[in-house]
Each structure stands twice: as structure tokens, then as C-alpha cells.
Amino acid sequence: MNPKMEKSLRLLVALDRRPQSSHELAARLATSRPTVVRLVEDLRGMGCQIEAVREGRADWAYHLRDWGVFNAERVRRYVEMGRT
């Protein structure tokens, strides 16, 4: 699979588990924060509803509200299979 799509799917699964900041997502995906921001924008373009919500004074977290064109269960299974 395309590495960018692979990271996008992993990002969706990570956000499905709990809201996370761009710093947390970058560490989880082993990529840069600008890449995380680009992935979020690309996913939004595919119909995913990902909100940036301010938590506290300076912390922002991404919240996944809708999976858009993706089937949540299939994506979760795919990502989980990749870990074994």
C-alpha cells in the first residue's frame, strides 16, 4: 500500500481511540507535525470530519467525528493486522 495512505489509515485509527494533538500523532506515526497536518487535510478532503478542538489554554487536539468514505471496521482490522 502507498505509505501516505498507510499513515492516513493509522492516523484515523489513532484518533478513533482518543483525541490527540499533532505532537502525539507525529510521535505515533513516526513523522513530522507538518505531515500530520497534511494528512488531516487530505482526510478531510475525503469526507472525514476531523475537528481541531482547543483543550486548555494552549493545547489543541484532533477529534474524529466521522470516517467519511472509509469503513471504520475494515480500517481498524487492516491496521491491527499490520501490527502482527
Side-chain angles (χ1 to χ4, degrees):
M1 175 180 284
N2 173 323
K4 183 177 175 183
M5 181 57 73
E6 181 86 31
K7 284 185 181 182
S8 295
L9 297 179
R10 289 177 44 219
L11 185 145
L12 283 172
V13 172
L15 289 178
D16 185 48
R17 292 187 177 128
R18 68 175 182 83
Q20 296 181 59
S21 71
S22 60
H23 294 284
E24 292 170 306
L25 292 167
R28 179 177 297 278
L29 301 174
T31 193
S32 68
R33 286 183 59 234
T35 297
V36 167
V37 172
R38 282 192 298 275
L39 292 172
V40 168
E41 288 305 314
D42 290 347
L43 288 167
R44 286 174 174 160
M46 290 184 263
C48 297
Q49 291 180 2
I50 302 172
E51 294 180 44
V53 177
R54 187 172 220 153
E55 297 181 342
R57 290 184 167 202
D59 294 332
W60 289 82
Y62 288 113
H63 292 249
L64 177 62
R65 304 290 189 211
D66 189 296
W67 286 74
V69 299
F70 297 96
N71 178 297
E73 191 54 41
R74 289 183 71 189
V75 172
R76 284 186 205 107
R77 265 196 321 264
Y78 174 82
V79 169
E80 291 300 319
M81 286 176 43
R83 291 187 179 170
T84 59

